[in-house]
Amino acid sequence: MFVKLLVIYYIVINSIGFASMGIDKRKAMKHQWRIPELTLLFFAFLGGGIGSWIGMHLFHHKTHKLKFTCSIPISVVLHIGIVIYLMTYLQ
């Protein structure tokens, strides 16, 4: 049951991370109100790093910002570590 919930959580949060990059890129192109950068990074560090990274590259969004090119991969590595820990010590 725990593994199913974990998988569902990561699917949802990565979908949110991916969608937020696409939405923010579209808003940038239309000169509309944008999603704050801290919010985009927050989604990544909640576990949506893979979705955010895919969104960054697919939508060509924030790919030249050092804050994103460093932080997003760090969030992915962090969550890989968290999942390994959970699967190893809580099973």
Side-chain angles (χ1 to χ4, degrees):
M1 181 66 172
F2 172 73
V3 174
K4 282 185 181 180
L5 290 175
L6 194 62
V7 168
I8 291 168
Y9 173 76
Y10 278 108
I11 288 170
V12 169
I13 196 65
N14 278 286
S15 296
I16 292 170
F18 177 80
S20 66
M21 285 293 181
I23 291 166
D24 193 51
K25 175 65 175 195
R26 184 179 48 194
K27 288 180 175 272
M29 292 170 63
K30 293 182 177 184
H31 304 288
Q32 294 178 341
W33 175 86
R34 306 274 304 277
I35 298 172
E37 287 185 346
L38 285 177
T39 302
L40 296 172
L41 290 171
F42 183 68
F43 291 141
F45 277 92
L46 283 178
I50 293 172
S52 296
W53 184 82
I54 292 169
M56 275 177 59
H57 291 282
L58 184 68
F59 302 119
H60 304 285
H61 191 51
K62 306 285 187 190
T63 56
H64 296 288
K65 289 209 166 210
L66 188 61
K67 183 191 309 185
F68 283 84
T69 59
C70 292
S71 297
I72 301 283
I74 289 170
S75 74
V76 172
V77 171
L78 174 70
H79 277 275
I80 288 171
I82 289 170
V83 168
I84 290 171
Y85 172 80
L86 291 173
M87 301 310 283
T88 303
Y89 295 106
L90 296 182
Q91 289 292 325

